[in-house]
Every structure is written in C-alpha cells, then in structure tokens.
Amino acid sequence: MKRNAGQDPAITSRWRPATRAIRGGTARSEFGETSEALFLTSGYAYDCAEDAAARFNGEQAGMTYSRLQNPTVEMLEKRISLMEGAEATRCMASGMAAMTAALLCQLQMGDHVVASRALFGSCRWLTDTLLPKFGIETTIIDGRELDQWEAAIRPNTKVFFFETPANPTMDIIDMQAVCDIARARGITSVVDNAFATNVLQRPMEYGADVVAYSATKMMDGQGRVLAGAVCGTDDFITNTLLPFTRNTGPTLSAFNAWVVLKGLETLDLRIRRQSENAMKVASFLEGRVERVNYPGLPSHPQHNLAMAQMEAAGPIFSVYVGGGRARAHGLLNALELVDISNNIGDSRSLMTHPSSTTHHGLGEEARLAVGITEDMLRLNVGLEDVDDVIEDLDQALRTIGL
C-alpha cells in the first residue's frame, strides 16, 4: 500500500469491509512504517508565522492543536467513517462523551427530544437530568411502538434518540420506520449503535442521521481503553459537532486512538465468533432459567426484526433467573470463569447485575418500567472455548438450585 492510499477515497471506495477495517485511514510517514504511527504531541510547529495564520483561518491544511486534530486520531476517524459508510467522524474520550456531544452540539434551550426509554443508564441520565438543566425537555417513550414516536412529536422536537439493541433489555427498534418518521418532520435521528457495531448493523443504511459509539466496547474489544465516536455528514460533523468539541474538549487521546485502531483490525472476526458463542450459551440457558432475552433466539418477541436489521445477534443478552436480587447475586458469586464486571464488548465473558450497577441510578420505578428487574443479569459472551463458559454457568446455576 502506498503512503496515503488509505486516505484516498478513489482507492478506499473500492475496498471491501474487511480491507477497510485493516487499512482504512492509514497515512504513513516518510519512514514507511507498516503499523499506524503514534503521535504523542499536544501541539504543532509551523515553518513561518504566515503558515500558522493560514491554518487557523482554514486556508491551509494541517494540524494546529491536538484538542482539534491529531494524526493518529484522524486515522481512526477516517477508518470508522469508511466502516460506517459515513461522510465524517469525530472521536471522543469515552462513549458517554460521544453521546453527550452528539446531543448537546445541536440542542438549545426550548428544544424538545423524544427518546426511547430503554437506554444505557448514563444516557438516561442525560435525557432525564442533564438536558432539563439547560431548558431542553425530553419525552420518554417505548421505542418499540411506532405510534408513540409520532404521538410524542412537538413543534419544537429536534432529536429522536434511541439504542438498538437496547442495554440491557435487548429491545429492538425498527430503525427504518423511526428514521423515516424523523426525516419526514425534519427531526435529527441519533442512534447509539454500541451493542451491534457497524459489523452487524449500519444505522445510516436505514436512514439514521447520526450514529454514536462507545468504542470502549466492541471496537477496542479487549478491555484496554476508553473511547467514543460520532458519525454523520460532513456538514453535521464540521459545522455542528466540531465547534462544540473544539471549545469543550472531550477529545480522544492519541494513544487510545492507536489502541482502537488495532482493535478494529480484528473487530469482524471477534464479534462474529462471539455472536456464535452467545447463541450457544443462550440456547443452553433457555429453559434452564425463567427467561433468556436474546434477539438471536426465535423466542425473542422481536426476533424477526432483529434478524432483518442485523447480520448476527451479537454477544450480549440478558437472563432472568427468578428469586430476586439474592438469587442473581448468588449466581454471580458462584462463577469461577466468567468475570463479574459491568463492562461489555470484551473478549472475556463478563456478567453483571444491571439493577445494582449500570442502571442503579435510574431508580426502582424507572428500572421496572423498562424491565430491569432484580433477577435480571446481563451476560457478555467472550472468546473463550464456549464449552468452558457453559460449564461455568452450569455449575453456578446448580449452586443456586437451578
């Protein structure tokens, strides 16, 4: 590959997804390194004062400050854009930095948001607690019901915000239908796609305007760094998002960007194998516990929609063991291989109790309203030998009498 082939649209447009995940966005220095270079610098020097002025005035291409641009971060942004099918991407310091920026950059006092009730706990904090502090109202609906999206629209509605599959309830939202409703009314649709990634579903193909990620999850996928990303049109990223990030500073570090670049090289392989493992684990658990909530199983109420939107059901699902928190904690405490951890997307199998961890801040009434009960557990199935994972769950279930 030539030095700048990875950043040449005339070349990258011909590449298939697996090639884009390995080589997309790569720009080699004069040394000709094969792996992406790691640029650990906060600022940049200029040959003359006129060059500095031209760059700040947008008349000359080049870096000015790493709160705005960094060569390593830029490579990651271009690679994610290619994989997503987006015109542009900006990377952030964490997934929640990405979610916050994707919303606040386009909202102001007096605006209105319609959001699906089944969101990650911190995203619900944004809609329920942070946005109202700035005079921005949010209507929370059951995103699975299309008539509720229509009914919630007001003259000042600016954004539809939802996640599919949802964390941890595994609700599936009809992306095409919801995005069509938004576009017909001039509303911007923002989709949290962290659970599926662009390997399993690409929301922009269903009409989404903005796609946001916790790249901490599948994109890194090995529990190493925090990162986030916001994808959209050139106009949205340059004229709406960039002024916000330039002045508020939720910028991704070069080192974390480099780690995620390495993670993207194996994303397709990892998420497909983890999805295969998850299907085997979910099939084992079904009938053994009160309920398994996995979109890949025909028992999931939205199985057909999920399989129409997704290439595979992903590595994450929830289970209901009955017996309340005591039994759920009992199972976690009996695990020998699977880690008790609130993270997801890791190559290691992880399990958590959402009611007391990721969603504890919602409050009991809000949790129950979306189906997060005291006996619910969320499982991220990793890359271990799946039979070892099943054996560990089997012994843990027997320990609690199941």
Side-chain angles (χ1 to χ4, degrees):
M1 188 178 82
K2 304 303 182 185
R3 276 181 57 186
N4 293 309
Q7 298 203 355
D8 184 347
I11 296 174
T12 59
S13 64
R14 303 196 302 266
W15 288 349
R16 295 168 179 82
T19 304
R20 293 179 175 183
I22 299 292
R23 296 181 176 271
T26 300
R28 290 175 175 152
S29 74
E30 66 274 17
F31 296 107
E33 65 280 350
T34 54
S35 180
E36 298 81 8
L38 176 56
F39 290 88
L40 294 178
T41 182
S42 58
Y44 306 88
Y46 314 92
D47 288 337
C48 63
E50 289 75 13
D51 282 351
R55 287 194 198 177
F56 273 83
N57 201 37
E59 299 168 351
Q60 182 186 94
M63 305 287 166
T64 58
Y65 191 56
S66 280
R67 178 157 47 82
L68 305 178
Q69 314 113 322
N70 176 279
T72 308
V73 177
E74 185 179 76
M75 284 190 273
L76 175 61
E77 292 169 343
K78 290 183 179 296
R79 183 170 298 179
I80 292 174
S81 292
L82 283 168
M83 296 172 70
E84 190 69 33
E87 291 180 0
T89 296
R90 292 292 292 187
C91 287
M92 309 289 168
S94 70
M96 284 313 305
M99 303 300 161
T100 304
L103 295 175
L104 284 182
C105 74
Q106 59 181 313
L107 294 169
Q108 61 185 5
M109 180 183 294
D111 286 344
H112 175 246
V113 174
V114 181
S116 175
R117 66 185 188 179
L119 293 168
F120 176 56
S122 292
C123 289
R124 279 295 300 267
W125 184 87
L126 291 180
T127 60
D128 299 356
T129 304
L130 182 65
L131 294 185
K133 292 182 178 181
F134 295 96
I136 303 163
E137 289 188 79
T138 301
T139 299
I140 301 296
I141 64 165
D142 184 342
R144 298 169 297 182
E145 304 295 332
L146 295 180
D147 59 343
Q148 292 194 24
W149 291 98
E150 289 272 15
I153 295 173
R154 303 176 186 174
N156 59 336
T157 301
K158 295 298 193 297
V159 169
F160 279 3
F161 181 38
F162 63 93
E163 177 184 26
T164 182
N167 180 5
T169 61
M170 309 310 296
D171 287 2
I172 305 296
I173 291 175
D174 188 331
M175 289 188 288
Q176 187 71 64
V178 173
C179 292
D180 284 349
I181 294 169
R183 188 153 293 181
R185 302 291 290 270
I187 297 166
T188 301
S189 53
V190 178
V191 180
D192 177 351
N193 198 38
F195 261 40
T197 79
N198 48 45
V199 171
L200 300 185
Q201 71 181 16
R202 286 161 290 280
M204 288 184 176
E205 295 179 358
Y206 296 91
D209 297 303
V210 178
V211 182
Y213 285 100
S214 171
T216 308
K217 308 302 189 286
M218 308 294 181
M219 290 186 179
D220 170 32
Q222 290 154 84
R224 299 171 296 189
V225 298
L226 299 180
V230 180
C231 310
T233 62
D234 278 324
D235 179 64
F236 177 83
I237 297 297
T238 301
N239 298 316
T240 302
L241 182 65
L242 182 56
F244 179 88
T245 59
R246 173 190 291 120
N247 294 294
T248 58
T251 311
L252 181 63
S253 74
F255 178 77
N256 286 16
W258 184 84
V259 172
V260 176
L261 278 165
K262 298 294 100 182
L264 291 180
E265 294 178 3
T266 60
L267 175 61
D268 188 277
L269 299 173
R270 286 185 286 104
I271 196 167
R272 292 187 190 279
R273 174 57 67 84
Q274 287 180 253
S275 295
E276 292 174 7
N277 288 350
M279 178 62 78
K280 293 176 182 177
V281 174
S283 298
F284 160 75
L285 289 171
E286 193 165 42
R288 186 72 176 272
V289 297
E290 285 199 357
R291 181 158 62 100
V292 176
N293 205 9
Y294 184 51
L297 292 174
S299 58
H300 190 284
Q302 297 167 292
H303 170 74
N304 291 336
L305 175 60
M307 294 301 92
Q309 295 183 162
M310 303 175 69
E311 294 187 21
I316 305 158
F317 60 90
S318 53
V319 299
Y320 295 79
V321 297
R325 180 178 294 198
R327 180 177 281 179
H329 278 194
L331 188 145
L332 291 174
N333 292 336
L335 295 169
E336 297 175 349
L337 172 68
V338 178
D339 286 311
I340 303 171
S341 177
N342 52 281
N343 197 19
I344 55 169
D346 201 298
S347 58
R348 300 161 185 81
S349 292
L350 312 172
M351 205 168 198
T352 194
H353 181 245
S355 183
S356 59
T357 59
T358 57
H359 290 71
H360 79 282
L362 278 184
E364 183 179 9
E365 183 177 350
R367 288 196 301 269
L368 292 177
V370 298
I372 302 174
T373 57
E374 289 294 325
D375 69 328
M376 173 197 269
L377 293 166
R378 188 191 66 197
L379 175 61
N380 171 94
V381 181
L383 289 172
E384 305 95 343
D385 188 301
V386 69
D387 289 334
D388 287 331
V389 176
I390 289 172
E391 287 178 6
D392 188 37
L393 290 167
D394 178 59
Q395 66 82 23
L397 287 166
R398 285 188 279 109
T399 298
I400 62 171
L402 293 177

